[in-house]
Amino acid sequence: MSEESETDRCCYSCGIAEGDDIKLRTCTACKSARYCSVKCQKEHWPQHKRQCKKRAAELRDELLFKQPESTHLGDCPICMIPLSLDLDYSSMQTCCSKTVCDGCAHANVMREIQGMLESKCPFCRTPSPNSEADARVNETKRMEANDPVAMRQEGSRYYTRGEYRSAFEYFTKAVELGDVEAHYPLSVLYHDGQGVARNEKKEIFHLEEAAIGGHPSARYNLGVIEGRRYGRFERAQKHYVIAANQGHDGSVRSLLENHKRGFVKKEVLDAALRAHQAAVDATKSPQREEAKKEYNLN
């Protein structure tokens, strides 16, 4: 057994070895130092503090700069094809809070027309609301069920009306319930100081959480902050590349501009352009193209 592994099995403060009657706890920040008790952890903090913060920052960056498997929108729950970043090409169902692509929604409408069937949600088959009041009843039920998406939608309504404190509260509830997308509007509120005091640290935290969850616009904003606010162009480039790989147009434009200024190498730009086009193409299907023609969405 190596010296390093032996050290890992001992308390970093008092040196006692782990055994059947002694269980060591790992530092939640750096994931490396281990202690036999809270007392030992507190006593060792002055020696551990610097290395802990350094390793915690490294771990955060590893997570932050990892390419997400998909955008925060994910796939259409029916056709399982990635949803477009352009929200004009999909719609959220108030009955189940599922976002369905226009291709599947159009196919469902055509099926109902041809079969003279009752209009229902293309995903959960709940009868479609006949009015805004009916839709509101659905939304209220989803919120009562602690649906995080419904909470975020409610926050957006308050935000649109300028009721920022209420918006903040609903966005916060959505995040607490596991909604990644709600981190993004929270970052906006912290940036603008609406409904809450301006706080740059919390703004960046929520942008990072959204970006880690696959939100390309949040990722783009992080690139802007890193480049324009702090002059950390290498980190900015990483954010732009990741977002471009997800099909984000604004990040592609930033890479093009920075390439002209000599900040982005041609091979990096070319790879990002190819990945961007692949991401956009992945959201297309014959069914979706038919819906675009039908609804004149081109």
Side-chain angles (χ1 to χ4, degrees):
M1 187 175 289
S2 67
E3 181 180 349
E4 181 181 3
S5 58
E6 286 284 3
T7 302
D8 288 342
R9 295 174 64 83
C10 297
C11 174
Y12 272 48
S13 181
C14 68
I16 192 170
E18 185 173 40
D20 292 338
D21 57 339
I22 298 175
K23 300 297 181 183
L24 301 182
R25 305 175 185 178
T26 302
C27 174
T28 57
C30 68
K31 312 295 184 185
S32 57
R34 305 183 73 196
Y35 300 97
C36 64
S37 66
V38 173
K39 178 177 179 292
C40 272
Q41 186 171 9
K42 288 182 177 179
E43 290 178 350
H44 190 250
W45 178 241
Q47 299 99 295
H48 179 56
K49 180 179 179 180
R50 184 175 179 181
Q51 183 61 31
C52 181
K53 290 187 174 182
K54 180 176 180 294
R55 182 54 184 155
E58 292 172 349
L59 291 173
R60 180 67 172 178
D61 275 0
E62 287 177 14
L63 182 62
L64 180 60
F65 290 111
K66 181 180 179 180
Q67 182 73 48
E69 294 183 2
S70 67
T71 72
H72 63 295
L73 297 174
D75 300 337
C76 169
I78 299 175
C79 66
M80 301 307 294
I81 295 175
L83 289 165
S84 171
L85 294 179
D86 189 335
L87 300 182
D88 285 340
Y89 298 153
S90 61
S91 57
M92 182 177 293
Q93 310 303 307
T94 59
C95 47
C96 55
S97 295
K98 296 296 183 182
T99 299
V100 177
C101 75
D102 282 353
C104 289
H106 177 61
N108 183 60
V109 169
M110 296 308 295
R111 180 185 63 83
E112 291 171 343
I113 291 175
Q114 292 169 4
M116 295 185 290
L117 303 173
E118 178 186 9
S119 176
K120 294 183 178 181
C121 168
F123 180 77
C124 70
R125 302 305 185 193
T126 296
S128 299
N130 295 316
S131 64
E132 290 187 9
D134 289 344
R136 187 58 180 161
V137 169
N138 287 341
E139 292 160 352
T140 301
K141 288 181 179 178
R142 297 309 307 165
M143 285 188 287
E144 290 174 348
N146 280 330
D147 184 325
V149 176
M151 294 294 185
R152 168 167 42 84
Q153 289 295 100
E154 187 71 1
S156 296
R157 289 188 191 87
Y158 279 109
Y159 183 88
T160 301
R161 296 201 295 261
E163 299 178 43
Y164 301 119
R165 186 61 199 177
S166 293
F168 173 80
E169 291 172 356
Y170 275 99
F171 289 143
T172 299
K173 288 179 183 177
V175 164
E176 291 171 349
L177 290 169
D179 185 66
V180 170
E181 189 171 348
H183 281 289
Y184 184 71
L186 279 175
S187 75
V188 174
L189 291 174
Y190 276 116
H191 176 270
D192 295 337
Q194 295 175 323
V196 66
R198 292 190 66 177
N199 189 312
E200 181 181 1
K201 185 176 181 179
K202 290 184 178 180
E203 172 200 356
I204 293 175
F205 168 77
H206 285 292
L207 284 175
E208 288 184 348
E209 288 297 298
I212 290 169
H215 200 300
S217 293
R219 176 81 61 180
Y220 170 80
N221 283 3
L222 285 172
V224 172
I225 290 172
E226 291 286 7
R228 299 180 187 176
R229 193 180 298 178
Y230 300 128
R232 299 190 290 227
F233 299 111
E234 184 177 346
R235 291 174 67 87
Q237 176 181 298
K238 287 181 181 180
H239 284 305
Y240 291 144
V241 168
I242 292 173
N245 291 347
Q246 295 178 294
H248 189 261
D249 295 339
S251 293
V252 168
R253 288 192 291 270
S254 290
L255 287 171
L256 286 167
E257 292 172 3
N258 287 327
H259 171 64
K260 293 177 182 178
R261 297 172 182 170
F263 295 136
V264 176
K265 295 181 179 179
K266 186 177 186 302
E267 55 267 30
V268 173
L269 174 63
D270 289 345
L273 290 174
R274 289 193 297 270
H276 173 270
Q277 188 59 55
V280 172
D281 290 343
T283 66
K284 296 179 180 179
S285 73
Q287 190 166 262
R288 292 183 182 183
E289 293 304 310
E290 182 181 343
K292 283 184 184 180
K293 294 177 181 178
E294 182 70 22
Y295 301 127
N296 295 316
L297 291 175
N298 290 321

